[in-house]
Amino acid sequence: MLLAEANTPVTDWIYTLVFMAVFVTTLMAGLWVVIARDVIRAGVSLFICLSGVAGIYFFLNAQFLAVVQIMVYVGGTTVLILFGVMLTNRAPVLTSRRATDRTLAGWLATVIVAAPLFVILVGRDLMEKKDVKTANGWFTMKEAAAQAPINTVALGDALLTSYILPFEIASLVLLVALVGSAYLARRREDESGIEGRLS
Amino acid sequence: MLEPKIVFALAAVLFSVGLYGVLSRGNLVLLLMSLELMLNAANVALVGVARYWAGMGGAADDFSRAHSGQFFTLMVMAVAAAEVGVGLAIIVAVFRRKHTSAADLATELKH
Amino acid sequence: MFLAADVAAAHSPSALEYLLNALKVLAAFGAIMSVIPFMIWLERKVAAWIQHRDGPNKVGLPRWKILGPLSGFHMWGLLQPLADMIKLILKEDFIPRRADKFLFVIAPALVFVPIALAFSVIPFGWGFHVGGAEDGFLVRYQIADFGTGILFAFAVMSMSVHGLTLAGWSSYNKYGQMGSVRASAQMISYEAAMFMAVLAMVMTTGSLQLDDIVLWQSTHVWGILAQPIAFVIFLICAFAETNRLPFDFPEAEPELVAGYHIEYGSMKFAMFFLGEYYGMVVQSCLIVTLFLGGWTLPGIPATADSFLASLAGPLVFSVKVMCVLFLYVQVRWSLPRFRFDQLMSLGWKRLIPIALANLVVTAILGVTFAASNMR
């Protein structure tokens, strides 16, 4: 029975199609972040782009990272950023004052950095060491089935054995950031703050 | 058939776009958003490399190779969260003083 | 012990399973959409009961002769939500002139869709075996069973705050704006404590997979007994996450009129309304799965896989969910509203430290006593 067979062309096709959809959405949303004039809309496209990156992680066999990405970036960071937009801008429809004089310089610097980046990341033939597992390309059902997902338990083990020092340093950085941002944004007596808008 | 390259291409594009945003946008919050894009581009590249090593097969230390990519992505995420927190606190502080969030107007340290 | 993981690994997906999964999605969505009108009715009935009123009691069957003795039967007002729905659909669909139209239109969907996504990892029961002993496979009462299911559920649930935020912001209204700022502040404050409460449970059971957590509870004790403090914290945070009455600041009527959805009417308002109830149902499902033993009940085999025996699972699960939903409704109509700064200090100064302490104690106890459970 065709339906019950694993890895039919149909399932492969669906898999690749979903990947392409996620990929294109991520790319477009990423571009829109720097094109949009409205700050809130830029924030929304950032939200879409970061969700798309989480989707890419699912396809790259990093389920745990994908979920962490949604939790930290999509559920945390973007909320904070939108929160920041709302606290620091008055009108509901905001347009960014575009610094036109720096746009050309921005283009130039971007091209100077981006060109080597593309050569390094994309130009080289990564598949020169072909082997059985990657011969089909990455984003096929067959490949996904062949690849055991990197286990969360093993990742946790690595976190607390091989990488304990960076892990601890990261926790220290987070603590310092927490205290520092609370200090920076604290309510001062002499200022009529924007906290009034909250309550 | 999709090549692994497509992931690195995505990383490169996102990084360049973020860089352009950082260099040309005038709003502090937009700068922060572009920074997030760049960090995410690096993360995508890291996870892609981890996936590449995991796919190579054979060698005994593959597992840790694959892990190091994912582990550093986790670290970048933690640092990015800290960065956003501090960044937003600074933006709010600037806004209180200046009543604007334009990057060009925060120039006290110049004089 | 880790049965579920074995089952998942043993089978690579086929087109048949794709179809099966599509059917499961439809079934789950249909089930939830038919529970929500009943929930709305229950809410109004319980409210009336608490306030010594009758509640909805008129809308029922029409006075048609075909219905015989049932003609004109009031059905205790059970058809009231249907009438409400018709009213909402027929209302004018209004967009304020200076609103950001695109965001205004997609915001209700942004509330609704993430909550629906969270539904995909909840196990309603164990499942039944199809086909022979060798070539058959298990049809789970769960749409997606993957390794980090519980994190996924909470991660996507936390995405729904964007909908509230954008709704308030895009409608060009100061009350809406305040509602949206409140929504995001509240969400950030309560998520931390909520995740820590969940983590305590994850440490106890040693798995991030929802069905493993349920199976652990069926062989040991229910989560509510193993982690009572985490349960209380989780419950409080779940109320805050769904913006229900003791914590309904984004839409507090006396202060903000209606908060983020002040400019919304017709079906767009209905989407928020449904989203709130949907969120409530999903939160209740998660509470049942994490702390109340999921689909299992002492005395009923947890992993029976014949078709008839497996039906007990979803049945037990829905009864438990209904009990939690009843608690939700009762709390809403019997507790007064907090003040906003009280809400914030409760979150940051009480719940987060308690949750952290609970986490540390769990870790220490886990290392000392139950090394076998800790994996």
Side-chain angles (χ1 to χ4, degrees):
Chain A
M1 189 175 154
L2 183 70
L3 271 178
E5 256 170 52
N7 308 324
T8 53
V10 181
T11 57
D12 239 10
W13 193 72
I14 294 173
Y15 193 84
T16 311
L17 201 71
V18 174
F19 174 77
M20 283 317 287
V22 173
F23 186 86
V24 171
T25 313
T26 313
L27 210 59
M28 288 299 157
L31 288 174
W32 192 249
V33 173
V34 295
I35 296 172
R37 293 189 68 102
D38 183 327
V39 184
I40 281 282
R41 285 203 179 181
V44 172
S45 41
L46 183 72
F47 158 72
I48 296 168
C49 177
L50 298 185
S51 320
V53 169
I56 300 277
Y57 288 171
F58 271 113
F59 283 96
L60 286 174
N61 231 331
Q63 279 88 342
F64 181 69
L65 280 183
V67 173
V68 172
Q69 166 89 8
I70 297 176
M71 212 181 267
V72 173
Y73 275 114
V74 183
T77 304
T78 29
V79 177
L80 264 183
I81 286 180
L82 288 180
F83 195 55
V85 173
M86 287 170 192
L87 282 180
T88 56
N89 293 279
R90 288 267 153 87
V93 180
L94 312 151
T95 48
S96 150
R97 204 172 55 86
R98 201 186 285 243
T100 38
D101 53 331
R102 280 183 306 171
T103 311
L104 185 68
W107 270 117
L108 271 177
T110 307
V111 169
I112 290 170
V113 175
L117 196 67
F118 271 92
V119 173
I120 294 166
L121 283 179
V122 189
R124 288 197 317 164
D125 187 13
L126 272 172
M127 302 303 283
E128 58 195 5
K129 290 189 199 168
K130 275 205 170 31
D131 65 303
V132 194
K133 278 187 176 173
T134 46
N136 297 314
W138 277 6
F139 307 105
T140 58
M141 199 75 220
K142 203 179 290 172
E143 181 49 38
Q147 183 94 42
I150 292 178
N151 188 330
T152 313
V153 176
L155 193 61
D157 272 344
L159 212 61
L160 289 178
T161 51
S162 329
Y163 301 110
I164 183 78
L165 186 64
F167 178 71
E168 289 300 327
I169 291 174
S171 69
L172 206 63
V173 167
L174 278 174
L175 179 67
V176 170
L178 185 69
V179 174
S181 47
Y183 172 77
L184 279 173
R186 79 193 185 282
R187 187 198 301 263
R188 290 186 180 82
E189 300 303 321
D190 53 327
E191 277 175 322
S192 59
I194 44 175
E195 291 89 345
R197 303 177 65 189
L198 265 181
S199 48
Chain B
M1 183 165 108
L2 294 162
E3 294 268 319
K5 270 180 197 171
I6 197 167
V7 173
F8 299 117
L10 176 71
V13 170
L14 284 185
F15 190 87
S16 318
V17 163
L19 184 67
Y20 174 74
V22 169
L23 291 172
S24 68
R25 302 305 290 259
N27 188 308
L28 283 172
V29 184
L30 284 171
L31 289 189
L32 212 56
M33 289 184 198
S34 308
L35 273 178
E36 288 305 311
L37 269 188
M38 289 166 78
L39 286 168
N40 266 278
N43 279 355
V44 169
L46 276 172
V47 177
V49 171
R51 171 71 181 74
Y52 174 67
W53 282 119
M56 288 303 287
D61 58 344
D62 267 354
F63 209 54
S64 66
R65 270 185 192 154
H67 272 156
S68 60
Q70 299 209 355
F71 169 77
F72 282 111
T73 309
L74 272 181
M75 287 298 110
V76 173
M77 282 176 182
V79 173
E83 171 244 325
V84 166
V86 176
L88 275 178
I90 291 173
I91 291 174
V92 168
V94 167
F95 180 77
R96 275 191 196 153
R97 208 168 271 272
K98 297 265 172 196
H99 297 283
T100 177
S101 56
D104 308 7
L105 298 179
T107 52
E108 270 101 338
L109 289 179
K110 266 190 185 168
H111 345 280
Chain C
M1 175 66 219
F2 292 98
L3 276 168
D6 297 341
V7 172
H11 211 80
S12 66
S14 62
L16 182 66
E17 286 189 77
Y18 271 72
L19 281 179
L20 213 59
N21 265 344
L23 281 179
K24 280 187 202 168
V25 171
L26 281 180
F29 193 70
I32 202 80
M33 284 323 248
S34 46
V35 164
I36 286 173
F38 176 71
M39 262 314 293
I40 296 170
W41 173 83
L42 185 79
E43 172 114 52
R44 298 183 64 173
K45 269 298 193 197
V46 173
W49 172 62
I50 289 171
Q51 299 172 342
H52 288 271
R53 295 184 283 115
D54 279 343
N57 60 355
K58 294 284 191 290
V59 186
L61 297 177
R63 290 180 199 285
W64 288 341
K65 288 233 168 73
I66 322 163
L67 296 172
L70 285 175
S71 158
F73 178 50
H74 57 70
M75 281 180 72
W76 309 280
L78 248 175
L79 293 186
Q80 182 73 42
L82 192 69
D84 288 348
M85 213 44 162
I86 293 170
K87 185 196 77 172
L88 275 173
I89 291 171
L90 294 179
K91 274 189 168 182
E92 185 193 354
D93 197 5
F94 175 74
I95 299 181
R97 193 161 51 88
R98 299 192 65 182
D100 186 330
K101 293 201 176 50
F102 175 67
L103 295 182
F104 190 81
V105 172
I106 65 161
L110 278 181
V111 176
F112 197 79
V113 172
I115 300 173
L117 271 179
F119 218 71
S120 62
V121 291
I122 294 168
F124 301 101
W126 176 246
F128 53 91
H129 205 79
V130 192
E134 286 120 35
D135 57 338
F137 58 93
L138 192 68
V139 179
R140 298 291 316 275
Y141 290 126
Q142 181 183 18
I143 295 164
D145 176 28
F146 72 97
T148 50
I150 184 154
L151 293 181
F152 179 81
F154 288 105
V156 292
M157 291 276 288
S158 70
M159 279 163 77
S160 75
V161 68
H162 286 100
L164 308 188
T165 312
L166 293 174
W169 186 263
S170 63
S171 46
Y172 203 83
N173 182 303
K174 60 182 171 191
Y175 294 118
Q177 228 166 311
M178 282 180 193
S180 59
V181 173
R182 279 183 172 193
S184 40
Q186 176 173 338
M187 211 70 159
I188 291 172
S189 317
Y190 277 80
E191 229 149 50
M194 189 175 196
F195 281 146
M196 279 188 239
V198 173
L199 271 186
M201 198 57 208
V202 168
M203 279 170 113
T204 315
T205 57
S207 176
L208 291 167
Q209 221 160 327
L210 281 164
D211 44 3
D212 279 344
I213 292 174
V214 170
L215 291 179
W216 184 90
Q217 291 177 72
S218 76
T219 49
H220 297 72
V221 287
W222 282 8
I224 188 171
L225 295 175
Q227 286 286 350
I229 301 170
F231 173 72
V232 174
I233 291 170
F234 188 89
L235 200 65
I236 295 172
C237 295
F239 284 137
E241 288 268 304
T242 40
N243 299 320
R244 299 266 308 174
L245 194 76
F247 308 107
D248 67 340
F249 295 95
E251 47 181 318
E253 297 108 9
E255 309 150 45
L256 294 185
V257 196
Y260 60 87
H261 61 61
I262 186 165
E263 296 285 4
Y264 281 84
S266 188
M267 275 318 281
K268 294 205 200 70
F269 171 73
M271 285 283 269
F272 282 119
F273 198 65
L274 287 180
E276 183 189 325
Y277 281 90
Y278 210 147
M280 233 162 85
V281 173
V282 175
Q283 293 277 20
S284 313
C285 289
L286 286 170
I287 290 174
V288 167
T289 310
L290 277 175
F291 295 104
L292 300 176
W295 74 84
T296 62
L297 205 62
I300 298 176
T303 56
D305 60 359
S306 73
F307 182 67
L308 278 177
S310 74
L311 283 179
L315 203 69
V316 170
F317 190 82
S318 8
V319 170
K320 285 178 180 174
V321 168
M322 274 298 155
C323 294
V324 179
L325 284 175
F326 188 76
L327 179 73
Y328 259 97
V329 173
Q330 215 185 2
V331 164
R332 169 168 178 184
W333 293 100
S334 33
L335 286 187
R337 180 181 292 125
F338 278 71
R339 219 170 52 219
F340 193 69
D341 59 313
Q342 289 173 335
L343 167 94
M344 281 299 167
S345 72
L346 176 71
W348 287 101
K349 295 182 189 158
R350 309 271 163 74
L351 291 183
I352 290 179
I354 294 174
L356 250 176
N358 184 40
L359 204 59
V360 171
V361 171
T362 309
I364 293 171
L365 287 183
V367 171
T368 341
F369 296 115
S372 57
N373 291 338
M374 292 297 288
R375 188 66 210 277

